[in-house]
Amino acid sequence: VEENLTSNLEMQLRNGVIDVAIIALPFEIPGVKTLPLYEEEFVVVVPSEHDWAGLKAVDASELANEKVLLLNSGHCFSNQVLQACPSLSRNGEILQGNSLDTIRNMVASNLGITVLPISATISRYENPLVKVIPFKKPIPTRKIALAWRKSYGREQAVEEIGKAIRQLAMFADGLL
């Protein structure tokens, strides 16, 4: 199991270095099949002393007035956030970090706010220095899928992995 940039995962899939990848859609690569798994909501994470810390929800357009911390441009999640919050790319001040852990720590250090997938805010990542706030509707989301080469001979194994992940996602949905 390895975490990597989407472009690297694409190359590793094509070259047979890895058999299967968990990716965010869209992932339209010739010779690669995908199996959608689940949809994941985005949330806003702010320092606990931020003006928004007491809000019940935030509108995506409000991010443009804030200093927003995102992953470096090589990470597809940054592009997904910018697509979900278009006013941010037009007017916002964007700073970048190398990992979600780095971004979370930057928020805890009061360097700005961020948008994270809800799975990156589960209990093991709880921190009293930050507050997680849901988005107002329409809530930005991303679709997570499995990807594998069409020539891969174990498609049934991939489908079984997909079933297991969906079951975990349904279980986790009640815990988030």
Side-chain angles (χ1 to χ4, degrees):
V1 176
E2 168 186 332
E3 181 180 3
N4 214 322
L5 299 175
T6 303
S7 59
N8 293 343
L9 293 173
E10 175 188 338
M11 186 72 66
Q12 290 175 341
L13 271 176
R14 284 182 174 201
N15 293 335
V17 174
I18 61 173
D19 297 322
V20 181
I22 298 175
I23 49 85
L25 296 175
F27 190 77
E28 297 169 9
I29 309 300
V32 173
K33 293 176 102 175
T34 59
L35 175 66
L37 297 172
Y38 59 91
E39 195 163 328
E40 180 174 35
E41 294 181 353
F42 297 166
V43 293
V44 178
V45 180
V46 301
S48 57
E49 300 300 317
H50 192 277
D51 291 344
W52 292 0
L55 296 179
K56 295 217 183 292
V58 174
D59 190 277
S61 65
E62 294 175 280
L63 295 177
N65 301 321
E66 297 292 320
K67 186 185 302 181
V68 178
L69 306 162
L70 296 178
L71 290 171
N72 291 332
S73 57
H75 294 268
C76 67
F77 184 67
S78 294
N79 296 334
Q80 295 164 359
V81 171
L82 292 173
Q83 287 174 351
C85 309
S87 61
L88 180 58
S89 57
R90 289 191 298 270
N91 307 327
E93 181 181 352
I94 300 171
L95 301 175
Q96 296 183 329
N98 292 322
S99 72
L100 292 181
D101 282 334
T102 300
I103 297 290
R104 269 192 295 274
N105 289 329
M106 291 170 74
V107 171
S109 298
N110 207 25
L111 297 175
I113 69 170
T114 195
V115 174
L116 295 178
I118 198 165
S119 62
T121 64
I122 59 175
S123 61
R124 78 180 221 200
Y125 300 120
E126 283 182 8
N127 181 338
L129 299 176
V130 300
K131 173 82 164 109
V132 177
I133 307 168
F135 276 99
K136 292 178 182 174
K137 292 183 181 183
I139 298 169
T141 62
R142 67 178 181 171
K143 288 186 170 100
I144 303 299
L146 288 176
W148 69 97
R149 289 178 313 284
K150 288 181 180 177
S151 62
Y152 184 56
R154 302 186 68 195
E155 187 164 334
Q156 187 175 358
V158 174
E159 290 172 2
E160 290 300 318
I161 291 169
K163 285 181 192 175
I165 292 171
R166 278 194 207 97
Q167 286 178 325
L168 288 171
M170 288 187 325
F171 174 74
D173 199 33
L175 299 176
L176 295 175

